[in-house]
Amino acid sequence: MSERHIHMAGHVTERHITRAGQGGDRDVFEYALLRVVPRVERGECVNAGVVVYCRAQSYLGARTHLDEARLLALDPAADVAGVRAALAAIERTCAGGDQAGQAAGDDAGRRYRWLVAPRSAVVQPGPVHTGLTADPAAETERLLNLLVR
């Protein structure tokens, strides 16, 4: 079963609806955008990365890209080095192993849930979304290009 959708820009896309067991060679994945909110009280944000989790493939990955000019447009006094450090820490946590710090012993699902838990901080996860993919690493890059860059 499929549906046609017309987006506001006039593009027509196909959205395929699958039921359990009908995903073919694709697996369910979850993702959340990473947003930089330099002044939490204002709520303005810049998308700066994406975290992707695919349980079926034991994949957890993050890709980040900070548009420094956009961040400084929201807050000229933003701590760019601190934001970059926080984004790098998220990528290390996703990679696991010794570089994940205290989360090193946690499985990918537990690390993902911790990373996407709501928080009031300068770097925040957005809402969790889902999809189907055959290649979660490629999906991570695709989402970064589509939603962040």
Side-chain angles (χ1 to χ4, degrees):
M1 171 189 307
S2 69
E3 297 177 1
R4 296 195 120 212
H5 291 275
I6 300 175
H7 295 290
M8 290 178 70
H11 300 284
V12 177
T13 62
E14 288 286 326
R15 183 177 81 173
H16 299 282
I17 300 171
T18 60
R19 294 184 175 36
Q22 295 179 338
D25 61 346
R26 299 180 301 166
D27 295 307
V28 173
F29 74 95
E30 301 174 53
Y31 74 95
L33 280 170
L34 298 172
R35 305 180 296 197
V36 178
V37 186
R39 294 176 57 191
V40 176
E41 70 278 8
R42 291 184 61 143
E44 299 167 327
C45 66
V46 174
N47 292 343
V50 64
V51 178
V52 174
Y53 173 58
C54 180
R55 180 178 177 198
Q57 296 189 29
S58 299
Y59 175 85
L60 175 60
R63 294 278 289 125
T64 62
H65 172 79
L66 181 61
D67 186 331
E68 197 172 306
R70 289 179 71 191
L71 174 60
L72 293 173
L74 291 180
D75 182 4
D79 179 5
V80 175
V83 169
R84 287 193 185 280
L87 293 170
I90 291 169
E91 289 192 47
R92 287 193 306 271
T93 300
C94 286
D98 292 338
Q99 63 185 348
Q102 291 181 332
D106 293 339
D107 64 33
R110 187 175 174 113
R111 291 193 318 272
Y112 175 73
R113 296 286 171 237
W114 180 77
L115 288 169
V116 299
R119 59 184 51 100
S120 180
V122 173
V123 177
Q124 302 177 3
V128 172
H129 305 281
T130 61
L132 294 171
T133 187
D135 184 349
E139 192 67 36
T140 305
E141 190 67 31
R142 185 187 77 80
L143 289 169
L144 180 75
N145 289 329
L146 179 68
L147 303 172
V148 177
R149 288 191 174 145

